[in-house]
Amino acid sequence: MKRMMREDLDSRYSEDVERMIDLACFLDPRFKGQFSEDLENTISVCVEEALKLVWATPVRVRQEHLEEPSQTQPTASARTAESHKTPSLTGLLKKIMATKRQRAEEEGASSTPEEKVRAEVKVYMCLPSIKEEEDPLLWWRQHAEEMPHLSKVTRRLFCIPATSVPSERVFSASGHIVTPQRTKLKPEKVNMLTFLHFNL
């Protein structure tokens, strides 16, 4: 029985699927590299996936993203007006954060995309793991600015449903809603009735 189960599982999980599952486990801040048999290989795969997304982004969008900081810089008159305002704790924190971000961008401008991704992986590995009951999506939302390339890979992987059961349930519910007596229902009405069926 064990042998048959093993053979069935081997036929279901191809090398690409195993690689994707391994990468998803690595990017889950609850587990990180705990389930990786070869952590170095998993990190290399993660860097490859992040670079694919970098080069898949159109050049114009990448240039706009790089130009954003310079466009948002205040003018000399605005800076003079701001300097006359009474400094508050919030204002000081904003100024410190803006300066740190500007320095990081200046340092990162000379580095290659691969170096940036590897730096993000180092930051990710240094951060402490979260508890098992915490939400990894919420964690990534809070750290998206700190690790933009890794967060894109995570968004791409974590949107994949774990099983096809929820979608099959939706099809079944829709089949019960659209009966032979109700064949003239418009698609919008079917969508609303299905939504109500699952959310009431």
Side-chain angles (χ1 to χ4, degrees), residues 47-62:
V47 171
E48 281 175 30
E49 290 298 319
L51 289 173
K52 280 180 193 174
L53 291 175
V54 169
W55 298 122
T57 309
V59 177
R60 184 175 54 80
V61 176
R62 287 205 301 269

Side-chain angles (χ1 to χ4, degrees), residues 2-117:
K2 286 180 182 177
R3 182 177 55 79
M4 289 179 71
M5 287 172 68
R6 179 63 186 259
E7 286 173 2
D8 182 59
L9 288 171
D10 285 342
S11 66
R12 289 173 187 268
Y13 292 102
S14 64
E15 192 177 327
D16 290 337
V17 174
E18 284 182 9
R19 174 175 160 164
M20 183 189 65
I21 292 170
D22 198 26
L23 187 56
C25 286
F26 171 70
L27 288 171
D28 191 323
R30 296 171 297 177
F31 313 122
K32 292 194 178 178
Q34 290 178 14
F35 295 104
S36 274
E37 292 179 5
D38 186 0
L39 186 57
E40 289 299 321
N41 183 49
T42 305
I43 290 171
S44 299
V45 169
C46 184
V47 171
E48 281 175 30
E49 290 298 319
L51 289 173
K52 280 180 193 174
L53 291 175
V54 169
W55 298 122
T57 309
V59 177
R60 184 175 54 80
V61 176
R62 287 205 301 269
Q63 285 173 346
E64 284 174 6
H65 181 69
L66 290 170
E67 288 168 7
E68 274 174 13
S70 61
Q71 290 172 354
T72 56
Q73 291 294 325
T75 58
S77 58
R79 281 198 297 269
T80 309
E82 283 178 7
S83 64
H84 290 301
K85 290 180 183 176
T86 308
S88 64
L89 182 60
T90 311
L92 289 171
L93 286 172
K94 281 183 181 177
K95 192 172 182 181
I96 291 166
M97 292 303 292
T99 308
K100 283 181 76 175
R101 202 177 296 118
Q102 189 176 356
R103 283 179 185 166
E105 284 166 2
E106 285 170 2
E107 287 172 8
S110 59
S111 58
T112 63
E114 186 175 352
E115 287 171 356
K116 289 178 186 176
V117 174

